[in-house]
Amino acid sequence: MVIRGREVREGTLANGLPYYAFGTGAPLVVLRWFTPAHANPAGLARGAELRVLAPLARHFRLYAVGRAPGMAQGTTMADIAARHAEALRAEFGGPVDVMGMSSGGSVALQLAADHPDVVRALVVAGAAHRLTPSVRRIQRRYTEAVAAGRRGLQHQAVTAAASPAGRALAGALLWLLDPLVRPGDPRDMLAFARAEDGFDLTGRLADVVAPTLVLGGERDLDYPVELFRETAEGIRGSRLITYPGLGHLGTFRSGRFAADVTAFLAGTGPGGPGKTARTTP
């Protein structure tokens, strides 16, 4: 398959992790955000993801990695991180740069804390060391509605817009779109949501030793900016970039996002600097 002039390779890593790869340069593993199905994206979901990743593909060989299908109920985030670690060791044979986006950031932080040999440098985008109670409620309402065969995507409107008017409009649109993105089998989605519900690295951030960049929008209603700061402060030598005026999805849509990620990873070699920074959208 060719997308925007770039050939895309699709496949499965060890432990059944679906992935697609495109771009040129050093490898960058992207752990994907929350997904209804544990498979490579298609249709609208694919287009939305590629709009975020395409600018990075000018500088990196991107490996967009999802969670494996057939996830058992009771799976923990540590279990998920362990399976990712095994897959990345088998694929790359050494430490690799990892970027986790939203829920993928939860996986990435657990991976870096539990398996430091796998992660050369870490980017945590739109994610933090724990979920807020409100996000747990929203995610639970969504996944349980879908599991029961009801429309549930509208519960994710808080992620799509920062203003009340924007959330109302997004909620109506997401309600309409729900049947188009509803998974045929919601059990994987439900198992992952329950794993993330129990995710909390508050007392273990010091175990993350890879050079780390934390990125987040200052109007992110999923993750208050204080959580981004706590995450960055808990990881020794990490860097924090916040985007004024932007919400959760706005972080990934920022015109600075790809440039900030690229500049950080370029500076993580020998002698690369590390300090807190702030940018504008």
Side-chain angles (χ1 to χ4, degrees):
M1 179 181 295
V2 175
I3 295 178
R4 297 180 185 180
R6 298 184 178 93
E7 184 178 355
V8 177
R9 185 182 77 197
E10 297 196 50
T12 305
L13 300 179
N15 290 329
L17 274 59
Y19 81 97
Y20 65 93
F22 70 113
T24 304
L28 171 58
V29 173
V30 179
L31 302 185
R32 301 175 54 233
W33 42 39
F34 189 92
T35 58
H38 288 189
N40 285 331
L44 292 173
R46 182 107 166 194
E49 194 165 289
L50 287 172
R51 280 192 291 275
V52 171
L53 298 182
L56 287 164
R58 302 187 190 108
H59 308 280
F60 303 98
R61 177 68 172 171
L62 298 178
Y63 291 76
V65 178
R67 272 72 69 182
M71 185 174 287
Q73 297 299 319
T75 295
T76 66
M77 195 61 74
D79 296 331
I80 295 168
R83 290 164 193 158
H84 279 67
E86 291 172 359
L88 297 185
R89 289 187 190 105
E91 181 70 16
F92 298 103
V96 65
D97 293 341
V98 174
M99 178 173 75
M101 301 182 352
S102 193
S103 288
S106 301
V107 179
L109 280 165
Q110 188 82 51
L111 176 70
D114 290 355
H115 307 277
D117 64 295
V118 171
V119 182
R120 191 198 74 85
L122 176 66
V123 178
V124 179
H129 59 92
R130 62 176 175 84
L131 302 187
T132 64
S134 63
V135 169
R136 288 192 176 98
R137 284 195 300 272
I138 289 165
Q139 197 154 279
R140 196 175 302 123
R141 286 173 186 162
Y142 167 57
T143 55
E144 290 178 354
V146 173
R150 303 190 306 270
R151 294 184 190 234
L153 196 59
Q154 69 276 8
H155 294 302
Q156 301 280 16
V158 68
T159 297
S163 69
R167 289 196 297 276
L169 179 61
L173 179 61
L174 292 173
W175 187 88
L176 290 171
L177 290 175
D178 179 276
L180 300 178
V181 298
R182 193 180 302 172
D185 185 342
R187 286 177 293 183
D188 283 337
M189 177 184 68
L190 200 58
F192 178 79
R194 288 171 175 166
E196 193 174 24
D197 194 69
F199 167 74
D200 190 341
L201 279 188
T202 300
R204 294 199 53 213
L205 288 171
D207 293 339
V208 179
V209 296
T212 300
L213 170 65
V214 179
L215 287 162
E218 290 187 353
R219 296 187 66 190
D220 191 325
L221 299 182
D222 283 1
Y223 295 93
V225 71
E226 292 80 10
L227 275 185
F228 297 136
R229 293 195 182 105
E230 288 174 10
T231 304
E233 289 169 0
I235 301 172
R236 184 176 180 181
S238 69
R239 300 169 67 183
L240 170 65
I241 297 176
T242 57
Y243 297 119
L246 296 186
H248 189 67
L249 293 182
T251 295
F252 311 116
R253 295 170 180 163
S254 168
R256 292 294 311 160
F257 179 75
D260 287 336
V261 171
T262 301
F264 170 74
L265 293 176
T268 56
K275 63 180 182 180
T276 300
R278 176 174 294 191
T279 72
T280 55

